[in-house]
Amino acid sequence: EDPRLRQTVTVKAKSGYASGDIGGTAKYSASYGNALRFGFSLDNDAGEELRDGWKPDFISAYFCADGPGLLTRLLIGDYTVRAGQGLALWKSFRMSVFGAPASVARIPRGVQPYTSNDEADFFRGVAATLRAGKGEVALFASGNALDARIVGDTAYTSIVTDGYHRTESEIAKRRTMREYVAGACWTGEFQRIRCGVTALAYRYDKENGRTVKDYNRYQMYYGWWGNVSADIYCFFHDFRLFGEAAVDAGGSPAMIAGAVWSPGYDLETSALVRAYSRSYIATHSGAYSSLSSCADQHGLTLSAKWIPASHWTLSGNAEYSYYQWS
């Protein structure tokens, strides 16, 4: 057996405690040296039927090839993209809860294979990373199908992200709309400074049929939309400084900036400030937010952790948020 070939198989069963239904997940991943990776996931939630008698409800797969030349990564299938501080693009798991002070600074990872069972938080298509001087450029294109409530075959009224397809109503929304996305991310490394620029455009193949309400009147867009952002991350003595500024296709701005100060192992502090206009629309953002989107808020987050002794830790957090629109 070739020692460069590594394979992993994972199988799990899931039970619906109320209904008694059984679901399951199966994952396979393989890598050959440091250059080639392949994997797929099959998933059925409890209560979901096999499609056509044998197809699992969710099927995900990827192929990833890394190399030392101009093309450093080619990824086909399902993938994620994490850029900057997530103000324009963070297509991956996002966390907006208090943690360690240093966790407020996002670490971008470019394009990565998708290995989760979340049926909504990924791109499906092709992505490539190219070497560009002291940095790299990631290019990506996606044409993923989404769950949505469709009216009249041409318009959507809501997008569903829970991934459940158990009842007739849930099955009727399954993969009824397609989203097209294309974008690029440039990242450069210069001694103690890392900076980047992100641009992406996206649209649905159905028209926007949502009813305008007070809570969504500033979050409507039709046809093609997109975002452009610039970010920076730098080290200065015991400080890490970071920030990102972005604008959407309608000209609405958003900004996030922060600092982490850690003079030693026993003390770590951070501050994060954000200003998101109420009409900033970024469908694939994932920056820190006290709402479900990066819009309609000004905020300040302070966090500290002190370890005065080896057996205990003292930590504290403070959060202020102001919403411009009720």
Side-chain angles (χ1 to χ4, degrees):
E1 189 172 307
D2 194 329
R4 294 172 293 181
L5 178 63
R6 298 185 294 273
Q7 303 180 81
T8 302
V9 176
T10 304
V11 179
K12 294 181 180 180
K14 299 185 287 186
S15 173
Y17 295 105
S19 63
D21 295 318
I22 300 296
T25 298
K27 292 187 177 183
Y28 170 81
S29 63
S31 62
Y32 188 78
N34 296 320
L36 300 175
R37 283 180 287 168
F38 168 76
F40 65 84
S41 300
L42 311 176
D43 181 77
N44 252 54
D45 293 308
E48 292 179 336
E49 302 265 340
L50 291 173
R51 294 180 292 116
D52 299 331
W54 64 275
K55 295 179 185 176
D57 179 70
F58 179 62
I59 302 174
S60 175
Y62 67 86
F63 171 78
C64 183
D66 295 330
L70 174 64
L71 180 62
T72 59
R73 172 164 293 176
L74 176 64
L75 211 161
I76 300 172
D78 295 346
Y79 61 92
T80 63
V81 186
R82 285 179 274 187
Q85 293 299 307
L87 204 50
L89 176 61
W90 196 269
K91 194 66 172 176
S92 182
F93 174 74
R94 57 179 286 182
M95 184 167 61
S96 291
V97 296
F98 288 123
S103 67
V104 300
R106 299 286 172 89
I107 306 299
R109 297 189 62 195
V111 295
Q112 297 289 333
Y114 183 70
T115 59
S116 174
N117 290 327
D118 188 312
E119 299 184 26
D121 204 18
F122 64 95
F123 291 135
R124 175 166 288 177
V126 61
T129 303
L130 307 174
R131 196 181 307 278
K134 294 185 178 181
E136 61 181 25
V137 176
L139 307 173
F140 56 94
S142 169
N144 198 11
L146 309 176
D147 289 0
R149 182 178 289 106
I150 306 298
V151 294
D153 296 329
T154 61
Y156 74 94
T157 58
S158 64
I159 297 173
V160 183
T161 60
D162 59 20
Y164 290 124
H165 307 111
R166 302 158 300 188
T167 65
E168 290 186 9
S169 175
E170 292 172 344
I171 293 172
K173 303 182 189 76
R174 187 182 186 277
R175 303 175 69 82
T176 53
M177 184 170 72
R178 188 168 294 274
E179 183 190 39
Y180 300 101
V181 183
C185 308
W186 171 79
T187 303
E189 301 273 355
F190 306 95
Q191 294 182 346
R192 293 176 174 268
I193 299 176
R194 183 186 70 232
C195 53
V197 176
T198 301
L200 72 158
Y202 41 89
R203 68 158 299 159
Y204 301 122
D205 68 348
K206 298 289 190 297
E207 299 175 1
N208 186 343
R210 294 184 294 169
T211 302
V212 178
K213 302 285 188 179
D214 282 345
Y215 72 90
N216 67 11
R217 66 173 62 250
Y218 295 106
Q219 293 296 303
M220 294 284 198
Y221 70 91
Y222 303 86
W224 282 100
W225 199 258
N227 305 88
V228 176
S229 74
D231 65 90
I232 188 168
Y233 192 111
C234 62
F235 297 87
F236 181 74
H237 297 298
D238 298 327
F239 287 90
R240 280 178 283 165
L241 310 174
F242 58 92
E244 185 173 16
V247 64
D248 68 11
S252 296
M255 181 277 292
I256 188 170
V260 177
W261 180 54
S262 182
Y265 170 77
D266 60 343
L267 178 63
E268 184 176 84
T269 65
S270 69
L272 182 71
V273 62
R274 61 194 183 278
Y276 307 152
S277 64
R278 64 184 180 184
S279 55
Y280 178 70
I281 300 174
T283 301
H284 300 290
S285 63
Y288 185 91
S289 174
S290 55
L291 298 175
S292 60
S293 64
C294 297
D296 185 30
Q297 65 182 274
H298 293 166
L300 172 66
T301 301
L302 302 174
S303 183
K305 181 179 70 174
W306 180 39
I307 309 177
S310 60
H311 299 294
W312 59 280
T313 298
L314 179 66
S315 61
N317 304 285
E319 170 88 6
Y320 165 78
S321 295
Y322 168 70
Y323 307 111
Q324 306 162 71
W325 187 255
S326 300

